[in-house]
Amino acid sequence: MILEMKNIVKTYGKVVANDNVSIDLNEGEILAIVGENGAGKSTIMKILYGLEKPDSGEIFVKGKKVSFNSPLDAMKLNIGMVQQHFMLFGPMSVTENIVYNNEVSRRGFFDWKGNREKVRELSGKYGLNVDPDALINDCSVGTQQRVEILKTLYQNADIIIFDEPSAVLTPGEVDELLSTMKNLAKAGKSLILITHKLNEVMEVADRVTVMRSGKVIGTVNKKDTSTDELSYMMIGRHTSQLNIPDMKTGKRLLEVEHLSMGSALGKKVLNDVSLHVDAGEIVGIAGVSGNGQSEMIRCITGLEKQYEGKVLVCDQDVSNQGVSIIRKAGMSHIPEDRYLWGSAREASLSDNFLMGEEDSDAFSSHGILKQKTIDRHADRLIDEYAIKTDGCRQKMKELSGGNAQKVITAREIERDCPLTIACEPTRGIDIGAMEFVHERLVNKRDNGGGVLLVSSELSEILKLSDRIYVMYEGHLNYEFRHGEVDDRKLGRLMLGGKADE
Amino acid sequence: MNKIMNKIGNSNILFSLMAILAGLLVGGVIMAITGQNPVEGILGLLKGGYLTSYAIASTLTRATPIIFAGLSAALAWGSGYSSMGAQGQMIIGAITAAIVAPRLGFLPPFLAVIITLIFSMTAGALYSLISAHISAKYDAYLLIVTLMFNYLADYLASYLTNYVFLDPVALDKLAIQTIKIEGSILPRIFPRYTTHYGFLIALIAVAATAFIINKTSFGYKARMGGLNAGFAEYGGIDSRKTMYKVLLLSGALAGLGGACEVLGTKFRYVDKMITSPGYSWSGITASLMSNYNIIGVLFSSIFLSGIAIGGSTIELSMNIPSEITQIIQGVITMLVTAKFVIRWHRKENGRKEAETK
Amino acid sequence: MIFEWSYISAIISSTLRMCSPILLCSLAAAICSKAGVFNIAMEGCMMVSAFFAIVVNYYSGGSVLLAILAGILSSMLISAVLAVLIIRLKASPVVAGMAINTMSGGLTTYLMYVFFHTKGLFQNPTLNGLSKLTPFFASAFPELAQMFYGLTTVDYLSWIIAILVQIFLYRTVIGYRIRAIGINPEAARSLGTPVEKYQFWTMTLSGIFCGLAGVLLSMGSVTLFIQNITSGKGYIAMTANNLGKSHPLGVAVASLFFGACQSLGSFLQQAGLKGQITGSIPYAATVLASVVSSIRYRRQKEKKIREAISEN
């Protein structure tokens, strides 16, 4: 056994990210760690790579008890990591990226020939094809990832962690990656693969550890398991408790036609997305995050204007239009990141509640703010959503994360407009408040509004949605009505499985 | 008790006071190194700036242009635009006043002054708009563009003074200045003291700017853009439009400051009258000291003006060069921007403590 | 008369003279920005160096070497202070840099009064300037040598430094690490580089260049110290660094351009144009150059995006 992590506990404030997690890795094997977002897999890997310190628990590498203070310590113990977000120097060559901090030099000068030779040698040894002189920025994402792998090998890593390695790759590149991983294992390296794509797991892994809500649910041999069993272990059983009566849908509130968008890296992030939301329905987007949901929402809400396709809000064509026009057309938006987009931490709650409405007649006249009305409005929302605060003059940054989320959710749900785009509206808030937010969303629908709900909580989607789209790799693959689909099937589809498996 | 201490600890006032103390300390050390008595020097500085009625009057007079520059900076920087252009805009406002005012002699003085001020405001605003436009349209650093425009304004005013509007009968032939304005000036508030009605205009400008920033929807947009540009964008605020408006207003305030300096103290444009005293930089320091709080700008400006006046006093009485105050001001500026981190460190420590408990 | 060789060579030599301080400062800005630090305090470093060079020159009885050393050391000290503020204390580079710049004006004037009991200008016959180098080919090709008339050792040194910086950044291991830090500090940190340490030393050592530039100002064509001797050259160097995309050779070309603008200004003034107009030429040119380069940059970017779309 080359690596053993025993009873690792890690908490962030009140959130338990890792609850007594134990993981072991044999020499020359590929261990997959699977789980939904927030299951605790990245935390355990951060601990293993020295990026985080565990509250308690022990780590043994090659039988010796160790502790890490930084990635450097991990590197010294021959642990390497291929991060999801590449850590590369874009304008530099492949060689320069691989040999960094361990260069071959002659009297202080960078020895191009020697370094290039070393890279050639290494890439030949493991069959990882790269052009040592190519610039990283000119390389495909697949090549960039190979450079990351070569970097870990250059530092003599015996244990290599792959963090969601296929998330950024095209299908062809994924196949190549998987065969690379098998080769590495054959060459005696021990690999940990963190992923939520079960078909990849079934292809390369020797053993699979499943995590859910910070705990290890179980470790199974690949031979003895199936995609179905794994996805069930990952997602668990979610029942739709809140049985919502069917509603007659009314006029079309949102129509998205053939939305496509490319990323800077030359990959299609959105691929011909079409969907619609009618008055009187909640439409859920199920999908593992990172499959294009954020980009789709950015296009619909006007934060992104470089896309192809059409967006109509309340019959008004708002394609490639700015935020204020789209908002005026009748949309509110709970953004997925509460601090990056959703609020100003240094501003008061009143100011945060006002955003988007500062020019409306309700809150200003002739350009002068009606501060009393604004404060009253803020107080009402604070009261209704039970936001814990000293009052509407308190600064946003003094609120806890859950309360901050409530401020944003309250602002957008209570806005007087037919359509609400809700991204992760209950992220980090307590159960009671969550129920309340759900009620308000349903209430909005019952009053003839429409909601487009994006959530990484499958239970939330299943519970609230009248219709569900499944999003996978930038495309909406399936559409179901409420009750037509169960959590097992949905979970499988979200992970790239087929409907009739 | 702890809570109160926390409140004070988190407030800007304490940090600004600490920065001021450190600035005075460094000033004292430099005096000591260069063979002066630091205690007497610093005390003299404070006495000369604040402790006599004459000192207070001079301080308020000098504070007037600094307040305008400070408002201009607080508006721009607080909205997220690091414009250094107040100096150029003040110069443009000043030269405009020096050109316009003498030609309005036929009007009642009150009316002439009002019209002059409007001209200067407009000139300052337009001048600011040019650099804003270049920066927005061509993605050029606003910082560099405004700095260059400061030099250009200085040369332009100098050219106009030298070759177009030079006072032909200037008593002192070495002085490069325009003709003296008669009548349409900002008179002194009390005949014995130099403080003129420009100071009252500055107070009105403080109130007006505070109102615009805190009570109008435009001010709201500007503030939110400064606090979190992503939030403003998400909420549908047009950042380009806000930028133009903010810089227009900030240019108008600076232009007004230049005009008050001409109409209230010099009664003409004298070459380098805005550049040499460093009004603009003092204004930026004042806005940083108050963390862009408009009312805070008023007090920081008066403080900075006071040490400058104190500096001139000790230069005369103790032969300590008045530039010591520029050094003190520089130390204060550096420390108030470093403060954010100190505060952040403490918060981090606090959080860790809370976690271990 | 405009086309006379003596006239042309005079313009060239003055361009070279005007260029060197800007070149040195923009090289300082360039290595800092390569390391990922925004340095705008060249103006202040230059001024302090120019002043202390004159002070030591005076008190050492005219030792040029000691004067240069004093200039460099004082400039490095200021850079180190700024580096601590920006890198350790995370102060805003714009504000801290501007504070250094304005403070240097106050500090030099204050000390000028303390040392020399004057505030505007200090000049003394005991002061020695930098030695002027006559090109070795002067006797063989006197016409050619005219182009290098009046250039001091440090003027020549500035070009050697430009080449050395180029070699340092693109050929040595340390230079390569510095560039990597500027490109992606997180990646560099993840591979175990003490990023802050590298940045601190880069910034401190960039003070050497500003120091030499300051020495050139106070001991180059003339030997004296005058209030505000730098007159915005540090800011122009900042633009030169932008235009040259922080690449030593690009920066050198941009500096030559600004040197030519200044020399053009002084020649036009001799030709009778008003000083205020000729004086403003470098500043107007700075704005114009940033506009032109931004238009070009944007066109390139648009082209890239168009290509990417058509490829898809």
Side-chain angles (χ1 to χ4, degrees), chain A residues 121-159:
Chain A
E121 194 184 303
L122 201 64
S123 90
K125 187 172 166 193
Y126 292 98
L128 287 155
N129 268 332
V130 290
D131 170 7
D133 294 326
L135 293 186
I136 289 293
N137 279 342
D138 297 337
C139 290
S140 69
V141 178
T143 311
Q144 293 187 7
Q145 191 172 56
R146 280 202 290 282
V147 172
E148 282 283 8
I149 298 170
L150 282 168
K151 261 165 71 179
T152 64
L153 294 170
Y154 186 80
Q155 283 150 11
N156 295 319
D158 293 327
I159 301 169

Side-chain angles (χ1 to χ4, degrees), chain B residues 331-350:
Chain B
V331 174
I332 294 173
T333 319
M334 286 193 265
L335 292 181
V336 286
T337 68
K339 77 189 174 183
F340 295 106
V341 177
I342 298 167
R343 204 182 291 170
W344 182 78
H345 267 303
R346 200 169 51 194
K347 208 188 283 163
E348 281 296 290
N349 291 342

